[in-house]
Amino acid sequence: MEGQSVEELLAKAEQDEAEKLQRITVHKELELEFDLGNLLASDRNPPTVLRQAGPTPEAELRALARDNTQLLINQLWQLPTERVEEALVARLPEATTRLPREKPLPRPRPLTRWQQFARLKGIRPKKKTNLVWDEVSGQWRRRWGYKRARDDTKEWLIEVPSGADPLEDQFAKRIQAKKERVAKNELNRLRNLARAHKMQLPSAAGMHPTGHQSKEELGRAMQVAKISTASVGRFQERLPKEKAPRGSGKKRKFQPLFGDFAAEKKNQLELLRVMNSKKPQLDVTRATNKQMREEDQEEAAKRRKMSQKGKKKGNRPGPGGKRKGGPPSQKGKRKGSLGGKKPSGLPGLGGKRKGGQHQGGKRRK
Amino acid sequence: MRPLTEEETRVMFEKIAKYIGENLQLLVDRPDGTYCFRLHNDRVYYVSEKILKLGANISGDKLVSLGTCFGKFTKTHKFRLHITALDYLAPYAKYKSTQDCRKVDPMAIVVFHQADIGEYVRHEETLT
């Protein structure tokens, strides 16, 4: 009997093994093509089983998917593995399938002014070295940029040229010239960009004072000058009797007249649903602003309390910290420091009230 | 003429909902055609799609009215409901009129309130 049970156990074990093996081995006529870098398995077998399935091939499709996934996983298990933070990880090889372009090819840009000129004249870019030997500092310096070889703005001694005004600042003149060159370069860059995107540069055509401008031109120039500050004109003071400019706000945009009727209906129904839900919807911006304001008030009150206490106590070396349960008259007098909503004040007052009641009760007894 | 903005729609719906409550969605979503609200010269018109398309051919300054005028937005952007909306609001009214009270089932509760001249003085805060 025991022998029988042992045999039975062995047979069962063998059966289990066979089942497991059956599960993980899949027979295919044509081998699948694997691109493990992309976790891709391509099945080239003819889909005869699917064709014979009939109108609803759900079960056959599911079986096919299971088989193919099993084969892919089998391949993955053969990859070299490594340990990364208590997890066993397989190292995938390089992907072999080339994915198509995500974005369209960039369209050719129009040539910049220099490129056109160079093309005309037949100028080719000369290969230049990155570093140049600088005699003055006795080291190799870069050709242009930070700490370059020949920076004329950094010279400490400039001789006044023979024809120049002796009171002119030569150093400032060089710095000015550099700024002008930088600005010119920037302008040309923007012009090239505008040409590439077929946009217009905002021009300062009528802005320079000539003395022959009309009232409108001057007004326009004045408006542009007013908003040409870092804060876009927000903190510019006005002359005593100058009026605020009308119509300087943003123009409102409305939905088109025959927009999508279905979308309009959907929005309105959604609005109705929100209205009828009878729950106050959380307006996140208002909630956060309210929270921030409360915190600011608390901090301000605390700071004022600290300063007040410091001034009043004077030279006393006491803790000077928060003293709870001060006499109510003092709290009332110091209305300047406690003004407005002060949540920390409430529990103290509540406590005082409760204490009074208890005492009253005891006295009654 | 233009469609209503979110804010304007909300204000208007809140006002109309006081009269017809949840039945407002029957006005928005009708089985017999697409009707929409359009704003023209501060007045809100309830107009079917067909009429709207015809009305769009008339220039704004020459257009007087189209569809049914439900009400208007005042200068301070409050919504005033007009009597011309009654035809559309009456079928969905929440509270029954005196005529309907005669036909209602025996278990329904009817509150019959005859005019009380003093009510405006006594309850002026709570009267809507």
Side-chain angles (χ1 to χ4, degrees), chain A residues 242-280:
Chain A
E242 197 179 331
K243 282 181 249 175
R246 271 192 72 250
S248 54
K250 236 196 296 189
K251 186 165 165 149
R252 286 205 299 177
K253 272 215 170 116
F254 299 115
Q255 298 290 90
L257 185 54
F258 305 129
D260 191 0
F261 285 117
E264 198 184 322
K265 203 182 286 189
K266 195 163 74 82
N267 286 339
Q268 285 177 344
L269 287 172
E270 180 64 30
L271 182 64
L272 278 174
R273 190 189 64 81
V274 166
M275 268 170 50
N276 291 337
S277 66
K278 285 188 189 129
K279 258 179 278 185

Side-chain angles (χ1 to χ4, degrees), chain A residues 101-169:
Chain A
R101 268 188 95 82
E102 182 197 336
K103 296 203 177 29
L105 278 164
R107 62 176 206 288
R109 277 173 231 274
L111 295 171
T112 64
R113 270 178 72 87
W114 165 251
Q115 280 172 337
Q116 285 170 359
F117 177 76
R119 193 167 278 208
L120 252 168
K121 289 275 188 154
I123 301 172
R124 295 251 194 84
K126 249 187 276 185
K127 184 73 179 164
K128 297 193 176 116
T129 55
N130 288 343
L131 301 173
V132 182
W133 176 252
D134 185 24
E135 269 303 329
V136 174
S137 57
Q139 42 175 242
W140 288 94
R141 288 254 183 102
R142 40 188 97 167
R143 188 181 292 279
W144 55 269
Y146 183 60
K147 287 198 187 137
R148 54 182 174 277
R150 270 171 274 167
D151 193 353
D152 60 352
T153 52
K154 296 284 192 291
E155 268 186 54
W156 58 275
L157 180 76
I158 304 175
E159 286 175 11
V160 178
S162 47
D165 180 15
L167 297 170
E168 196 182 10
D169 187 355

Side-chain angles (χ1 to χ4, degrees), chain A residues 159-342:
Chain A
E159 286 175 11
V160 178
S162 47
D165 180 15
L167 297 170
E168 196 182 10
D169 187 355
Q170 296 296 329
F171 298 99
K173 197 165 133 187
R174 288 204 177 168
I175 293 172
Q176 193 64 31
K178 173 80 185 158
K179 283 192 180 158
E180 281 174 10
R181 272 176 282 144
V182 169
K184 177 171 172 281
N185 193 11
E186 183 67 17
L187 178 68
N188 284 329
R189 186 181 75 88
L190 290 172
R191 259 205 285 198
N192 282 330
L193 221 62
R195 195 180 306 117
H197 295 279
K198 300 209 174 43
M199 276 199 298
Q200 234 188 348
L201 263 183
S203 72
M207 307 296 173
H208 303 285
T210 58
H212 305 292
Q213 279 158 312
S214 70
K215 185 177 166 200
E216 289 85 30
E217 285 176 5
L218 285 172
R220 233 182 296 138
M222 189 203 72
Q223 272 176 17
V224 170
K226 204 169 256 207
I227 60 171
S228 307
T229 61
S231 319
V232 205
R234 252 189 84 183
F235 304 110
Q236 290 301 103
E237 283 143 11
R238 267 183 270 134
L239 290 174
K241 284 199 186 160
E242 197 179 331
K243 282 181 249 175
R246 271 192 72 250
S248 54
K250 236 196 296 189
K251 186 165 165 149
R252 286 205 299 177
K253 272 215 170 116
F254 299 115
Q255 298 290 90
L257 185 54
F258 305 129
D260 191 0
F261 285 117
E264 198 184 322
K265 203 182 286 189
K266 195 163 74 82
N267 286 339
Q268 285 177 344
L269 287 172
E270 180 64 30
L271 182 64
L272 278 174
R273 190 189 64 81
V274 166
M275 268 170 50
N276 291 337
S277 66
K278 285 188 189 129
K279 258 179 278 185
Q281 298 283 327
L282 181 65
D283 188 1
V284 186
T285 15
R286 284 180 87 181
T288 42
N289 288 343
K290 195 169 186 185
Q291 179 74 18
M292 278 167 28
R293 211 170 351 135
E294 277 179 9
E295 283 172 9
D296 286 340
Q297 281 176 345
E298 274 180 46
E299 270 185 45
K302 224 185 280 180
R303 243 179 282 137
R304 249 175 269 143
K305 203 180 193 182
M306 288 294 180
S307 72
Q308 274 271 357
K309 286 227 157 144
K311 268 187 252 168
K312 277 204 171 178
K313 302 303 178 188
N315 300 328
R316 242 211 253 172
K322 299 186 216 156
R323 289 210 185 174
K324 287 192 195 164
S329 57
Q330 217 179 39
K331 271 196 181 164
K333 276 185 197 159
R334 269 192 271 138
K335 57 183 174 131
S337 60
L338 287 179
K341 288 187 267 181
K342 190 172 184 295

Side-chain angles (χ1 to χ4, degrees), chain A residues 252-259 261-262 264-265 267-269 271-272 275-276 278, chain B residues 1-3 5 9-10 13-14 22 24-25 28-29 34 36 38 49 52-53 56:
Chain A
R252 286 205 299 177
K253 272 215 170 116
F254 299 115
Q255 298 290 90
L257 185 54
F258 305 129
F261 285 117
E264 198 184 322
K265 203 182 286 189
N267 286 339
Q268 285 177 344
L269 287 172
L271 182 64
L272 278 174
M275 268 170 50
N276 291 337
K278 285 188 189 129
Chain B
M1 191 167 31
R2 63 168 172 86
T5 60
T9 332
R10 200 183 48 81
F13 279 178
E14 274 177 10
E22 285 164 4
L24 184 47
Q25 55 195 0
V28 172
D29 191 10
T34 3
C36 50
R38 290 291 181 263
E49 184 188 343
L52 175 65
K53 291 200 169 149

Side-chain angles (χ1 to χ4, degrees), chain A residues 28 30-34 41-45 68 71-72:
Chain A
K28 289 270 179 186
L30 251 162
E31 282 297 319
L32 266 56
E33 290 166 11
F34 294 102
S42 311
D43 185 355
R44 296 292 182 99
N45 289 305
N68 286 343
L71 285 169
L72 180 63

